[in-house]
Amino acid sequence: MANKTILALMASAIAAGGFSAAAQNNDVVLTSETISVTEVPDCKVHYYNSWRDGWFIQAGAGVNIAAMEGFRYGPAKVGANYNLGFGRWFSPYMAFRISGNYGNYVEGIKDGNLHFRSASVNADFMWDMLNSTSGVNPNRVFSIVPFVGIGGTYNHHFGNATDDINVYNDGYKRTTSWAIPVSAGIQLRLRLSRHVDFFVEGRAIFAGDNFNNIAEDLPIDLAFQGVGGFNINIGGKDFKTYDPCTNAAYVASLNNQVNNLRDELAVTAAALSAAESQLPCPEVQPAPAPAPAPAAAPMLTTVRFTLNSAKITPMEMVNVYNVADYLKQNPDTKITITGFADKDTGSAAYNQKLSERRAQAVYDALVNNYGISADRLSKSAEGSSVQPYETNNWNRIVIFSQQ
């Protein structure tokens, strides 16, 4: 989008110049009316990644707790649970996960303990609460991730202390059951490294009354799972950003250049009209002295950076080249390179260092890539204490000034 905008603006400038020239040839009086070519985009930062990124696998172990009819016969009993799953973060806020659990449940009944094994698969939608409420931070150490899901469960190997299964089913012996439960839970995640997280999560499972092959009391059987383990992040966890307002400063500089060209054309048209009014010339006048070479255009270029970065993008490297070309055409000119940072992200101390790295990156590119002498360059950094633009994310920038 930014490239299309710049091309459209350049086309507008050329069209304005062509119209002005045609107007001169047809005795149309030009004016220096100021024009403004601006875009009004959605300045919200958008996050994206490739299909290879954002994947994770998880493995863990924990407990199963039945909260069914057995509550009448004593406290809940604990069974083992083993967990394995995989998923993908589509954005810093939302993920989809498939997870499987296998273990056993133990619950007290009137004739002893009912126990059975259980295998389940769940499809879960996950939400990173802190990224949504406190801003995206790829380096956040602690995360809270609520989730909801639906799945399928197969229970088998029913048995109890007296080998009398399903005492509440008129003696009919069932050895398996199927259920399609819904569930909800929350995961607490601790970042250990770029690729490994430790997690602890709890899940509440809501199933039909025959989950344990006993149909009594409430029409819903309730169970709980608690799991702890590790997430392995595959293919990269970071997200790229896109800000439609990245080129707003460059758009403003193009506006100024277009308006300057219109002013110059209007002055030229007025001079031409005045000269034509004196025709025919009463006598031959001596040829005027050649006009001095036009002075070099003022530097309007800036170098913008993405969030938390001091790397010059290929698009912005064009602006560094323009500054280098300007300095080569004006060998006596010296400039100061000043770095800035966005005050809405990062601490003041971190932003100061970030703005220094941005100024250093531009300095190094001018010296090493384009052969500009280091004694013609000075560096400074304002961090986030000075914000050249009202829109904060425009302040991830390096600005040039002549000494």
Side-chain angles (χ1 to χ4, degrees):
M1 174 181 177
N3 289 338
K4 292 181 178 178
T5 301
I6 294 171
L7 290 174
L9 292 172
M10 294 178 67
S12 298
I14 294 170
F19 173 78
S20 300
Q24 292 178 38
N25 292 334
N26 291 279
D27 297 328
V28 176
V29 177
L30 295 179
T31 67
S32 59
E33 177 185 357
T34 299
I35 65 169
S36 177
V37 182
T38 59
E39 59 180 78
V40 187
D42 174 12
C43 290
K44 180 180 178 181
V45 176
H46 301 275
Y47 295 88
Y48 66 96
N49 61 0
S50 74
W51 66 269
R52 298 182 183 87
D53 296 331
W55 293 94
F56 65 89
I57 59 174
Q58 67 176 54
V63 298
N64 289 329
I65 300 176
M68 306 170 199
E69 290 80 3
F71 266 152
R72 296 183 305 172
Y73 302 102
K77 295 177 173 58
V78 176
N81 179 41
Y82 303 95
N83 171 263
L84 186 65
F86 70 95
R88 181 173 182 259
W89 287 96
F90 294 92
S91 75
Y93 316 107
M94 298 296 297
F96 179 76
R97 175 182 68 176
I98 300 293
S99 65
N101 294 275
Y102 185 81
N104 68 297
Y105 287 92
V106 181
E107 121 177 85
I109 59 175
K110 67 180 182 180
D111 293 330
N113 290 329
L114 174 66
H115 51 86
F116 57 93
R117 299 177 188 176
S118 180
S120 64
V121 176
N122 295 284
D124 300 320
F125 286 96
M126 309 178 74
W127 172 52
D128 193 311
M129 186 171 68
L130 294 185
N131 271 353
S132 299
T133 59
S134 302
V136 176
N137 181 359
N139 300 315
R140 181 172 280 114
V141 175
F142 177 73
S143 299
I144 302 174
V145 184
F147 60 87
V148 295
I150 188 170
T153 301
Y154 173 65
N155 300 323
H156 59 104
H157 281 78
F158 281 83
N160 61 12
T162 61
D163 199 28
D164 184 11
I165 300 176
N166 300 329
V167 293
Y168 303 114
N169 288 290
D170 297 326
Y172 178 72
K173 185 174 182 179
R174 294 184 178 178
T175 58
T176 63
S177 71
W178 288 90
I180 303 178
V182 295
S183 60
I186 190 167
Q187 181 185 92
L188 305 179
R189 194 172 65 218
L190 180 66
R191 177 171 180 166
L192 301 181
S193 70
R194 175 179 172 81
H195 294 288
V196 181
D197 299 330
F198 173 76
F199 75 91
V200 176
E201 71 175 56
R203 180 194 298 267
I205 301 171
F206 305 89
D209 195 23
N210 65 338
F211 186 83
N212 60 350
N213 272 337
I214 299 175
E216 281 193 337
D217 299 330
L218 297 176
I220 296 177
D221 279 347
L222 178 63
F224 298 95
Q225 290 178 340
V227 176
F230 297 93
N231 277 334
I232 308 299
N233 303 305
I234 302 172
K237 190 177 179 181
D238 297 335
F239 286 84
K240 300 179 179 66
T241 60
Y242 167 64
D243 182 356
C245 296
T246 298
N247 293 298
Y250 191 55
V251 170
S253 71
L254 287 177
N255 284 341
N256 292 334
Q257 293 182 40
V258 170
N259 289 322
N260 289 338
L261 289 172
R262 288 175 60 88
D263 290 341
E264 292 174 6
L265 288 171
V267 171
T268 302
L272 178 60
S273 177
E276 289 176 343
S277 66
Q278 299 178 12
L279 294 176
C281 298
E283 59 183 26
V284 177
Q285 300 293 331
M299 289 187 299
L300 299 173
T301 303
T302 60
V303 180
R304 298 186 59 81
F305 294 84
T306 57
L307 179 67
N308 192 31
S309 173
K311 181 180 179 181
I312 304 173
T313 65
M315 179 181 293
E316 295 300 317
M317 188 61 77
V318 174
N319 296 334
V320 178
Y321 170 82
N322 290 338
V323 173
D325 186 62
Y326 176 84
L327 291 173
K328 290 176 181 179
Q329 294 181 27
N330 298 270
D332 295 329
T333 299
K334 296 183 179 181
I335 64 170
T336 299
I337 305 166
T338 305
F340 298 87
D342 175 9
K343 70 177 181 180
D344 277 1
T345 56
S347 65
Y350 181 83
N351 286 339
Q352 180 63 34
K353 294 293 185 182
L354 179 59
S355 66
E356 291 173 1
R357 289 192 287 118
R358 286 171 174 168
Q360 185 66 49
V362 175
Y363 177 93
D364 291 342
L366 288 171
V367 173
N368 300 329
N369 294 6
Y370 301 113
I372 302 301
S373 175
D375 60 8
R376 300 178 62 192
L377 307 176
S378 298
K379 297 174 294 181
S380 66
E382 298 291 347
S384 55
S385 61
V386 175
Q387 302 286 271
Y389 301 103
E390 294 182 0
T391 302
N392 289 326
N393 58 11
W394 295 0
N395 294 303
R396 306 169 191 143
I397 197 169
V398 160
I399 295 176
F400 303 95
S401 58
Q402 294 190 23
Q403 299 179 15

